[in-house]
Amino acid sequence: MSNPGEYPLQTASLLDGEKASSPPSPSWRDPLVYIAKFKRLLHYILSTVLTRPFHAALWRRFGYALMPQPLRSFILKEQTPPRKTFSTSYLNGVRGCTALKVFTFHYMHAFSDITFVPYGSDERHTYFLELPIIRYLYAGYTAHIFFGIAGYLTSVRLLQMMDDPDPTSQSKALSTVTGSLFRRAFRLYLPVAFISLISTVWLTLGLYEHNRPYLLDHEKYFPGEWNEPRPIRYDTYYEQLRFWSSEMFGVTNIIWEKTFYPIHDQHFWSILSEMRASLHLYLCLLAVAQCTRRVRLVFFLCLTFIYFCWNHWEIWVYILGAFVAQVDVILTEKAKKNSAPLSPSQEKLEPMDIDGPSGVQNILRKASGGVQRFSSRASFTSLRFFGFLTAFYLLSYPTYGFHLHAPGYMTLNKAIPHWMNRKDKFYPNIGTALLLFLLVRSDPQTSKWRKFLNSRIPQYMGSLSFGFYIVHGSIMHLFGYMIPQWIWWHWLGLEGPNNTTDFQWIVGLIAGWIPTFIVSLWAADVWTREVEGRCVKWVKALEKYCFRRR
């Protein structure tokens, strides 16, 4: 591990817990140093490597692989692969929007505590952007959305096959569960193992060391509620690999009840939670495979209460997704029966005599029915609008909303059981179930939500959501968190966000967020295609090899 004595005077004092007295290193202050290094590297590649024919062809292939799909379409005029559309594609758009929100949350919580502290808790937290619902653009809980959607998508197709009386569908449901269980661990852990192994190489090369002392200074440079430990750098690569293997063991330990936060990237805690929750859900689905719809509905309702009492909020929200899926299946089947075509005898209508008294009554009755239907639709639209507001209000529950004075949530806090370990997860779980229900029961033809979520940008973000989630942490730690510091010092002559005005703070944060987002999105595009896509093909080939041929 690196010795604190290798750092400048300020670094050693920071690691010792003392206040820094000497100014930062000039190389840290000036981003032109990094630009000069990049120019030298680019000049070496152009003048030396690419002049050789073999190397030139190899680098052209390598450069093509590293080009994201939007640039391929814009520069090379390459046609974008056709996007597969399903009845649940809008949920992929929800994942895309949620991934963007996760990125913003992880970026902002390094510079401020507004992502954790509720509005009105003190005089400092009274900004308009900190109000409930509005704060969900950058704060609030998002892992619940991923888990709830996963629970719904895992269950809805299986529940439909369970209801089909055809024996072929019953056997297909069983084969679907076994295949999904076989692929689940590989699909989740192979990309995580690769990206954490890349972080291990970066640590060995010392790419994190330049920024380490500043990232550890939570008083001057990073005053947010962000206390993630920095990855440890060992003296040898062998020791680094041993540490990496111990982290991978922890993140795959599905028996351990507690949440594991790997030091390489603490965002990977959700991988273990998702694996554990999906195993529980598959077991529950197998248990009710032969039950009727209403029995399954009651069973899932009881399970939500049981997992809530067991203090497993991540499995609880998964089961809530399955509960919403069962309700959706029942209501969809009921709607199909109600919209069944009329028989020929039912289609025959009596002639309307508009000249007599009965004809006038018929006209008035039909007009009254039209007014009632319009009023009913207006009431239904208002109710759905109120439902969405309630869902986002619950999802924007602050992390410290139970422990601090939280106007708007004080009364709600009284309903949270005192024995619940993660009291801040109570209302976001309910909000997730409500939002998911409102989305799945919206009209595919008229819903503005579905129209937006099925549009190009949300769908593109959704296709990269998993890759975007696992690569953005490393990029932020490598250089993303330092960009606002460069701007505040290099252009404004200020050290740290504590000495800035509100406008300067926002400008520095936005100026750092944009390039970090672009690089992360670029990396996620390449990662999804070149790494995650190959992992999917490899797992399918392994499944085909291991499973019995019929």
Side-chain angles (χ1 to χ4, degrees), residues 111-114 117-128 130 223-225 404 498 502 505:
F111 299 94
S112 175
D113 60 355
I114 63 173
V117 179
Y119 171 85
S121 59
D122 53 37
E123 295 181 357
R124 191 166 63 90
H125 294 90
T126 55
Y127 291 97
F128 174 77
E130 295 181 274
E225 294 291 324
L404 298 178
N498 292 330
D502 291 343
W505 185 85

Side-chain angles (χ1 to χ4, degrees), residues 26-44 210 479 483 486-487 490-491 515:
S27 61
W28 173 84
R29 292 179 172 182
D30 194 354
L32 298 178
V33 174
Y34 294 87
I35 298 176
K37 291 181 179 180
F38 177 75
K39 285 183 178 179
R40 287 197 297 269
L41 176 62
L42 185 62
H43 180 266
Y44 171 77
H210 195 67
F479 68 88
I483 297 178
W486 291 333
I487 292 174
H490 191 69
W491 279 279

Side-chain angles (χ1 to χ4, degrees), residues 70-337:
L71 283 184
R72 289 184 179 184
S73 302
F74 180 73
I75 298 177
L76 304 180
K77 307 302 179 182
E78 184 178 294
Q79 187 175 2
T80 304
R83 177 169 56 89
K84 296 181 180 179
T85 56
F86 305 95
S87 59
T88 56
S89 292
Y90 62 95
L91 293 178
N92 190 51
V94 177
R95 283 173 169 167
C97 296
T98 306
L100 177 61
K101 190 255 178 183
V102 169
F103 174 86
T104 305
F105 170 73
H106 288 162
Y107 195 81
M108 288 188 63
H109 74 6
F111 299 94
S112 175
D113 60 355
I114 63 173
T115 55
F116 288 79
V117 179
Y119 171 85
S121 59
D122 53 37
E123 295 181 357
R124 191 166 63 90
H125 294 90
T126 55
Y127 291 97
F128 174 77
L129 293 177
E130 295 181 274
L131 286 170
I133 300 179
I134 299 175
R135 73 187 305 272
Y136 195 66
L137 294 172
Y138 61 88
Y141 288 99
T142 47
H144 304 68
I145 302 294
F146 287 118
F147 291 174
I149 290 176
Y152 174 85
L153 293 177
T154 299
S155 307
V156 64
R157 181 57 181 157
L158 287 173
L159 294 173
Q160 291 171 347
M161 288 189 289
M162 291 174 188
D163 291 335
D164 195 333
D166 186 4
T168 305
S169 296
Q170 299 288 332
S171 61
K172 187 177 180 182
L174 179 60
S175 63
T176 301
V177 171
T178 56
S180 299
L181 278 172
F182 181 84
R183 297 187 299 268
R184 190 61 171 167
F186 294 106
R187 293 286 300 273
L188 283 176
Y189 286 114
L190 279 178
V192 171
F194 286 141
I195 191 65
S196 57
L197 193 59
I198 292 174
S199 299
T200 299
V201 175
W202 288 2
L203 281 167
T204 305
L205 296 177
L207 299 183
Y208 283 156
E209 301 310 301
H210 195 67
N211 300 331
R212 184 188 295 272
Y214 308 101
L215 293 172
L216 291 174
D217 188 350
H218 298 292
E219 182 178 349
K220 179 184 292 186
Y221 298 110
F222 296 95
E225 294 291 324
W226 171 69
N227 296 313
E228 296 180 8
R230 302 300 95 222
I232 304 171
R233 184 189 183 192
Y234 289 90
D235 295 329
T236 64
Y237 189 59
Y238 172 74
E239 292 178 303
Q240 204 73 52
L241 283 178
R242 284 188 60 185
F243 177 65
W244 169 81
S245 61
S246 67
E247 294 253 291
M248 287 303 302
F249 176 80
V251 83
T252 55
N253 188 357
I254 60 174
I255 306 300
W256 198 34
E257 292 187 1
K258 296 182 179 179
T259 303
F260 179 77
Y261 293 89
I263 298 180
H264 277 93
D265 193 333
Q266 294 216 323
H267 307 154
F268 294 161
W269 68 268
S270 61
I271 304 300
L272 175 60
S273 297
E274 190 167 353
M275 183 65 194
R276 185 191 294 126
S278 60
L279 291 177
H280 281 255
L281 179 58
Y282 279 125
L283 178 62
C284 296
L285 288 170
L286 287 174
V288 297
Q290 301 298 321
C291 299
T292 63
R293 295 173 183 167
R294 300 192 181 278
V295 171
R296 286 198 299 263
L297 185 65
V298 174
F299 181 76
F300 284 133
L301 186 61
C302 293
L303 281 178
T304 58
F305 179 73
I306 291 173
Y307 279 108
F308 161 66
C309 294
W310 284 342
N311 270 312
H312 280 288
W313 68 269
E314 74 282 7
I315 307 177
W316 175 27
V317 73
Y318 246 83
I319 302 298
L320 282 173
F323 175 76
V324 172
Q326 185 61 76
V327 173
D328 183 37
V329 169
I330 293 175
L331 294 180
T332 301
E333 187 65 24
K334 184 178 179 181
K336 287 182 180 179
K337 290 181 180 180

Side-chain angles (χ1 to χ4, degrees), residues 394-442:
L394 297 178
L395 282 168
S396 58
Y397 186 87
T399 306
Y400 296 162
F402 189 84
H403 304 288
L404 298 178
H405 179 72
Y409 294 101
M410 302 297 293
T411 304
L412 294 177
N413 286 341
K414 297 178 181 179
I416 302 177
H418 65 88
W419 45 261
M420 190 174 183
N421 291 338
R422 293 298 304 271
K423 297 178 177 61
D424 55 323
K425 303 290 186 180
F426 181 78
Y427 286 112
N429 273 15
I430 299 175
T432 298
L434 179 58
L435 177 64
L436 191 59
F437 175 77
L438 292 172
L439 288 174
V440 300
R441 296 306 304 167
S442 57

